[in-house]
């Protein structure tokens, strides 16, 4: 059955060179992805528990980790033209492990989608009324779902409109509020809330965008060169972390609260609502898009049935909107702490396999514009490494959890390669699967 709407966007295949975009277009979306309301929320959370300069240091350390990881996995995605979940079949995980990666990414990013929808719903309900928070959350989530259903091109145009709008409107809101306070005092005063340690703060920063680092190939597969990946990553992450995060810290100190809705709307009313809507749209479309890619790979792997990405977007969008309506924001900090240790091993393993071990890289190179003919079903050592590295990041108290998990996964994977433990079990005929799924491609 032919899908009546939406675009598949090469969900299970390579992005051809003819479908790549200029780096500035990609940088606009990258900045939009990281500089949304969640970044204000993170800045406010840090500002509520830390002095400004300690919060700024936490953003700096977290940004460095995220940039290094994002550039490395982003270059892999650009070279191979594949999404994270599909690429992971040949970067250490095998077909079964890649399905797990796709499922974990899909579910976690659906959670982000719900969180952003709830933030927008709270603000719309507070200023406009008419509907309860859950009603506005659902309505907003469904609006973004329509955009994502039509794929990358619609999302690019959305970014062109909402990123400048966000900057202008947020600038107005911030200038109005900060003009009422002494900037020097805000930079030096004590935090208004309970103390937050620097390690806790950096963990929150890294956890907040670690999923974004993991799914970087979902975006960079549309890039034209590795240099473009580097440029857009540095611009997007550095500005997003420092500018938006630091503003969130200052506003938390000024208003003595970490409630983002109060912060943004307290002094500007309906302008604050527009800020929130613009911010949430430009990041939430990427949340849902990435979820649709990961879940599409999972469904195809588990069932052998290639469902169209647009339909997956619709289902995930409805579920994510319902999560927002149900109040997922209340578990925000716990959510970040989990992501900070569960996700770093994924890019670390991909980087170690692609650039160091290279056990399956020749297959990617030999396939040219197609997918490799076969993929391993499972790489058991990788699953064990993923678990051990996550536990190492969670329970080792020295250093930063996210960095500990990253380093542990990288070292363990390289060590496993050197002693011959990296073996694929079973083989999956990629060409046969694609051929069998072709008649159903747009179901």
């Amino acid at each position: 059955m032919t899908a009546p709407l939406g675009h598949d966007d090469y969900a299970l295949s390579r992005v051809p060179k003819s479908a790549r975009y200029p780096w500035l277009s990609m940088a606009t979306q990258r900045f939009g992805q990281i500089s949304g309301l969640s970044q204000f929320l993170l800045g406010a959370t840090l500002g509520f528990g830390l002095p400004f300069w300690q919060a700024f240091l936490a953003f700096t350390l977290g940004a460095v980790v995220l940039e290094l990881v994002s550039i490395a996995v982003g270059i892999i995605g650009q070279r191979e033209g594949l999404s994270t979940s599909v690429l992971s079949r040949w970067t250490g995980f095998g077909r079964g492990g890649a399905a797990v990666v796709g499922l974990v990414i899909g579910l976690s990013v659906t959670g982000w989608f719900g969180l952003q929808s709830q933030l927008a719903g709270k603000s719309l309900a507070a200023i406009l009324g008419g509907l309860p928070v859950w009603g506005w959350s659902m309505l907003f989530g469904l609006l973004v779902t329509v955009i994502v259903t039509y794929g990358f091109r619609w999302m690019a145009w959305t970014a062109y409109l909402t990123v400048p709008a966000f900057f202008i409107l947020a600038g107005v809101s911030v200038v109005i509020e900060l003009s009422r306070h002494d900037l020097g005092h805000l930079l030096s005063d004590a935090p208004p809330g309970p103390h937050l340690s620097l390690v806790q703060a950096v963990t929150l920063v890294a956890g907040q965008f670690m999923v974004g680092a993991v799914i970087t190939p979902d975006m960079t597969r549309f890039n034209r060169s590795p240099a473009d990946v580097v440029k857009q990553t540095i611009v997007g992450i550095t500005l997003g972390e420092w500018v938006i995060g630091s503003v969130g810290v200052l506003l938390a100190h000024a208003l003595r609260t970490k409630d983002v809705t109060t912060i943004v709307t307290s002094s500007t009313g309906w302008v604050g609502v527009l800020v929130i809507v613009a911010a949430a749209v430009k990041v939430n479309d990427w949340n849902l898009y990435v979820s649709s890619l990961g879940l599409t790979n999972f469904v195809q792997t588990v069932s052998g049935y290639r469902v169209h990405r647009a339909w997956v977007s619709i289902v995930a969008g409805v579920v994510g909107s319902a999560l927002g309506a149900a109040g997922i924001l209340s578990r925000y900090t716990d959510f970040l702490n989990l992501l900070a240790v569960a996700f770093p091993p994924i890019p670390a393993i991909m980087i170690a396999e692609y650039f160091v071990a290279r056990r399956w890289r020749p297959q990617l190179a030999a396939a040219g514009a197609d997918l490799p003919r076969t993929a391993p079903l499972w790489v058991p050592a990788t699953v064990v490494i993923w678990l051990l590295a996550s536990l190492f990041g969670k329970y080792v108290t020295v250093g930063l959890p996210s960095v500990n998990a990253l380093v542990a996964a990288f070292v363990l994977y390289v060590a496993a390669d050197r002693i011959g433990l990296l073996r694929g079990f079973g083989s999956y005929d990629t060409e046969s699967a694609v051929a069998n799924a072709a008649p159903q491609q747009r179901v």
Side-chain angles (χ1 to χ4, degrees):
M1 182 176 65
T2 301
L5 61 122
H7 298 284
D8 192 55
D9 269 0
Y10 313 99
L12 297 174
S13 60
R14 295 185 191 261
V15 176
K17 298 297 183 182
S18 60
R20 306 294 178 102
Y21 286 75
W23 85 270
L24 189 57
S25 171
M26 305 298 295
T28 302
Q29 295 199 61
R30 186 61 155 178
F31 184 76
Q33 185 188 33
I34 198 173
S35 61
L37 275 182
S38 59
Q39 196 66 18
F40 264 129
L41 174 59
L42 180 63
T45 301
L46 266 60
F48 199 64
L50 283 175
F52 175 82
W53 290 112
Q54 288 190 31
F56 184 83
L57 177 60
F59 277 120
T60 301
L61 295 175
V64 169
V65 173
L66 294 173
E67 285 178 357
L68 292 175
V69 175
S70 297
I71 288 173
V73 295
I75 289 175
I76 300 173
Q78 184 276 323
R79 287 179 174 176
E80 304 301 336
L82 293 169
S83 67
T84 301
S85 55
V86 175
L87 182 61
S88 58
R89 298 178 186 178
W90 296 279
T91 51
F93 288 88
R95 180 176 181 250
V100 176
V101 169
L103 179 63
V104 170
I105 290 174
L107 293 179
S108 64
V109 182
T110 299
W112 274 119
F113 180 83
L115 187 147
Q116 294 283 347
S117 296
Q118 185 187 353
L119 283 172
K122 285 182 65 177
S123 302
L124 291 168
I127 300 299
L128 300 181
L131 291 174
V133 172
W134 69 264
W136 281 114
S137 299
M138 284 293 299
L139 185 62
F140 177 85
L142 295 177
L143 171 65
V144 176
T145 300
V146 172
I147 296 172
V148 176
T149 298
Y150 284 94
F152 195 87
R153 186 173 295 275
W154 275 44
M155 292 163 59
W157 281 106
T158 299
Y160 297 151
L161 295 173
T162 56
V163 169
F166 170 75
F167 264 108
I168 294 171
L169 296 172
V172 171
S173 177
V174 168
V175 169
I176 290 176
E177 183 56 48
L178 293 184
S179 65
R180 301 171 179 173
H181 303 269
D182 177 56
L183 183 59
H185 178 69
L186 295 179
L187 292 174
S188 60
D189 70 347
H195 176 71
L196 192 68
S197 73
L198 183 61
V199 171
Q200 289 174 318
V202 177
T203 299
L204 291 177
V205 172
Q208 196 266 356
F209 197 65
M210 185 53 71
V211 177
V214 172
I215 54 85
T216 295
D218 292 345
M219 179 182 291
T220 59
R221 64 198 180 111
F222 288 98
N223 275 116
R224 294 175 175 175
S225 71
D228 287 354
V229 174
V230 174
K231 287 184 289 187
Q232 77 185 40
T233 302
I234 292 176
V235 170
I237 292 181
T238 301
L239 291 180
E241 293 287 354
W242 281 347
V243 177
I244 307 302
S246 296
V247 167
V249 173
L250 290 175
L251 290 176
H253 280 227
L255 294 174
R256 318 300 288 178
T257 179
K258 60 179 179 179
D259 186 330
V260 170
T261 303
T262 300
I263 287 175
V264 177
T265 63
S266 62
S267 59
T268 53
W270 64 270
V271 175
V273 173
L274 293 178
V275 171
I276 288 174
V277 171
V281 168
K282 70 192 179 65
V283 67
N284 228 17
D285 57 359
W286 265 102
N287 288 334
L288 185 56
Y289 184 74
V290 167
S291 176
S292 70
L293 291 175
L295 294 176
T296 297
N297 178 57
F298 174 78
V299 171
Q300 192 271 333
T301 300
V302 172
S303 68
Y305 196 69
R306 186 171 182 176
V307 65
H308 196 283
R309 187 204 62 81
W311 292 110
V312 176
S313 298
I314 293 171
V315 174
V318 172
V319 172
S321 300
L323 286 174
I328 192 175
L329 182 59
S330 61
R331 308 300 300 178
Y332 176 73
T333 300
D334 294 338
F335 187 49
L336 290 188
N337 287 328
L338 173 63
L339 298 184
V341 296
F343 273 81
I346 298 176
I349 290 169
M350 296 176 69
I351 293 167
E353 163 58 33
Y354 193 83
F355 292 111
V356 181
R358 301 189 177 195
R359 296 186 68 86
W360 291 279
R361 185 167 173 179
Q363 290 181 252
L364 287 167
D370 301 317
L371 293 179
R373 292 177 60 89
T374 61
L377 281 177
W378 288 98
V379 184
T382 298
V383 178
V384 175
I385 290 169
W386 187 359
L387 176 61
L388 291 177
S390 298
L391 293 174
F392 187 82
K394 180 174 178 61
Y395 291 108
V396 172
T397 57
V398 178
L400 304 174
S402 56
V403 176
N404 290 343
L406 269 168
V407 174
F410 185 90
V411 171
L412 287 173
Y413 191 89
V414 173
D417 173 59
R418 295 294 184 261
I419 61 178
L421 293 180
L422 292 180
R423 298 178 181 178
F425 284 79
S427 181
Y428 173 65
D429 189 341
T430 305
E431 288 191 346
S432 174
V434 172
N436 291 336
Q440 305 166 339
Q441 185 170 355
R442 294 192 177 276
V443 171

